[in-house]
Amino acid sequence: MPRKPVRSQPLKKKRGFVTRLRRPVQPHWADMDEESLLDLRICDLGLTLENNPIMERVERLYAELAERGLNLRPHVWFSSEWFSPDGVPGIAIPFYVAHERLTRLEEKMMLKAEGAAERECMRILRHEAGHVICSAYRLHFRPQWRRVFGKFTVRYPKSYVAKPKSRRFVQHLDWFYAQAHPAEDFAETFAVWLTPGSRWRQQYADWPALKKLDYVDRLMGEIAGETPPVRNRSHIDAVRDMKMTLREHYRKKQQNYENDWPDFYDRDLRRIFSDEPRFADNGTAAAFLRASRTDIRATVSHWTGAH
């Protein structure tokens, strides 16, 4: 995909003469072809947060926290994905949001660049800020926290079946993520509470989840203005330490999302929905989907947790 042409910068008058504003310097790999870019090591991308557009969104998060009286500015760094490590009150930001060239590569390799769009990015930042504040103030050690959200030490499941109709959890990120683990339940509840203009009392009226939001509201009032006791500034899995190439990174990432389907599924589907005349009586895939839609919807909903 060709890069968009760079617009000429506006002229700026200064003390009687005209100067041209400096254009941002593009990284050396911005115009590389895809194969050459994939052969670069992640640590050699030279990514820094200084003057990076992502910091405008981080600063917005800081302003939202300050508006609520929370004395916390989570440190951030570039890594391979979104996360906030246990015991480290900071936020790792995936490297692909650092530059549009990397975002396009992520979209091609993974079909989606999670959090690249501004609205989704802010939703994720608020969610991760929930993990940050939990670590910074050791909230999950409080007995009342455990009574409201459950045991923080419960092992994370490899997968979970969501209950879309459940009203015991808020709905913030996709896939009913609050249902995955008590830590995610708190982070999602905090994110809903933090979102500017959120009318959570009205939105979650008559929901059991409202008790969680009320608890978060009281808890944040208790710690407002307090200096967090945990101030670990570690950068976990930072890009500067990643020696693997982008090609190796995406090969590994794609494998994590692959499913090892038996070959006979493809064979049978080609026989059932073939264009060959001898299979004409089998009908079309569209006709089959229409005739079986009730059973298909029920099966998909059961296994994905989607409505």
Side-chain angles (χ1 to χ4, degrees):
M1 183 176 180
R3 291 179 60 227
K4 295 180 180 179
V6 179
R7 294 182 181 179
S8 59
Q9 298 296 312
L11 298 179
K12 180 181 179 181
K13 291 184 179 181
K14 184 178 180 181
R15 294 186 180 179
F17 57 90
V18 176
T19 59
R20 186 174 295 276
L21 296 178
R22 295 178 60 186
R23 297 179 180 178
V25 178
Q26 291 294 323
H28 69 279
W29 40 261
D31 291 318
M32 277 186 178
D33 62 87
E34 184 175 293
E35 291 301 310
S36 299
L37 180 58
L38 286 170
D39 285 333
L40 275 182
R41 297 191 306 173
I42 295 176
C43 61
D44 293 334
L45 292 172
L47 300 178
T48 63
L49 290 164
E50 185 179 1
N51 297 325
N52 194 281
I54 190 63
M55 288 307 298
E56 295 180 7
R57 301 173 187 179
V58 174
E59 290 290 343
R60 192 186 315 171
L61 175 68
Y62 292 163
E64 292 175 5
L65 293 169
E67 181 70 19
R68 297 301 191 113
L70 297 172
N71 187 18
L72 189 69
R73 289 170 61 91
H75 68 290
V76 297
W77 66 95
F78 283 126
S79 185
S80 59
E81 59 183 330
W82 295 100
F83 68 94
S84 180
D86 289 345
V88 178
I91 301 173
I93 299 174
F95 64 80
Y96 58 76
V97 304
H99 192 277
E100 61 179 356
R101 180 70 180 88
L102 299 176
T103 301
R104 293 199 304 270
L105 181 64
E106 176 77 11
E107 289 172 343
K108 179 172 182 179
M109 304 301 290
M110 301 306 301
L111 306 182
K112 176 180 173 63
E114 184 183 27
E118 181 176 355
R119 185 170 181 268
E120 185 182 27
C121 179
M122 291 307 304
R123 290 166 73 91
I124 295 175
L125 283 173
R126 294 182 189 113
H127 171 92
E128 299 300 344
H131 290 302
V132 166
I133 208 155
C134 199
S135 292
Y137 291 92
R138 301 190 180 102
L139 300 180
H140 50 286
F141 291 115
R142 299 191 178 201
Q144 182 63 19
W145 192 102
R146 293 196 295 269
R147 283 192 289 269
V148 173
F149 295 102
K151 291 184 178 181
F152 183 87
T153 54
V154 172
R155 185 186 297 271
Y156 263 84
K158 292 183 178 179
S159 62
Y160 65 98
V161 178
K163 298 177 181 178
K165 294 182 180 180
S166 175
R167 294 192 166 193
R168 296 192 303 109
F169 304 89
V170 298
Q171 297 177 4
H172 179 69
L173 296 180
D174 294 336
W175 311 112
F176 307 97
Y177 198 41
Q179 301 183 32
H181 188 272
E184 305 303 342
D185 192 6
F186 173 82
E188 287 286 84
T189 305
F190 175 85
V192 169
W193 174 84
L194 181 65
T195 301
S198 173
R199 301 178 62 189
W200 52 267
R201 292 191 187 279
Q202 292 80 8
Q203 182 180 353
Y204 292 97
D206 301 324
W207 285 44
L210 183 61
K211 294 180 180 179
K212 297 177 181 178
L213 284 160
D214 282 331
Y215 171 69
V216 167
D217 188 49
R218 294 194 304 272
L219 185 57
M220 295 305 107
E222 292 176 15
I223 65 175
E226 291 186 6
T227 300
V230 179
R231 284 173 277 181
N232 188 331
R233 304 286 292 182
S234 299
H235 292 185
I236 308 300
D237 294 334
V239 293
R240 63 172 180 263
D241 301 322
M242 294 183 177
K243 308 300 182 183
M244 70 173 66
T245 65
L246 284 164
R247 190 185 306 279
E248 294 167 335
H249 164 74
Y250 281 115
R251 184 181 296 121
K252 181 179 180 180
K253 190 171 183 178
Q254 288 170 348
Q255 288 174 349
N256 288 338
Y257 285 91
E258 283 180 354
N259 290 302
D260 188 17
W261 298 111
D263 293 340
F264 61 76
Y265 285 149
D266 290 337
R267 181 197 65 200
D268 290 348
L269 285 169
R270 289 192 180 96
R271 291 178 62 186
I272 295 170
F273 303 116
S274 174
D275 290 333
E276 295 184 33
R278 62 195 178 101
F279 294 121
D281 294 338
N282 289 354
T284 64
F288 171 77
L289 291 171
R290 282 195 296 268
S292 309
R293 60 186 177 184
T294 301
D295 290 337
I296 292 172
R297 278 201 302 259
T299 302
V300 171
S301 177
H302 173 74
W303 289 107
T304 65
H307 177 61

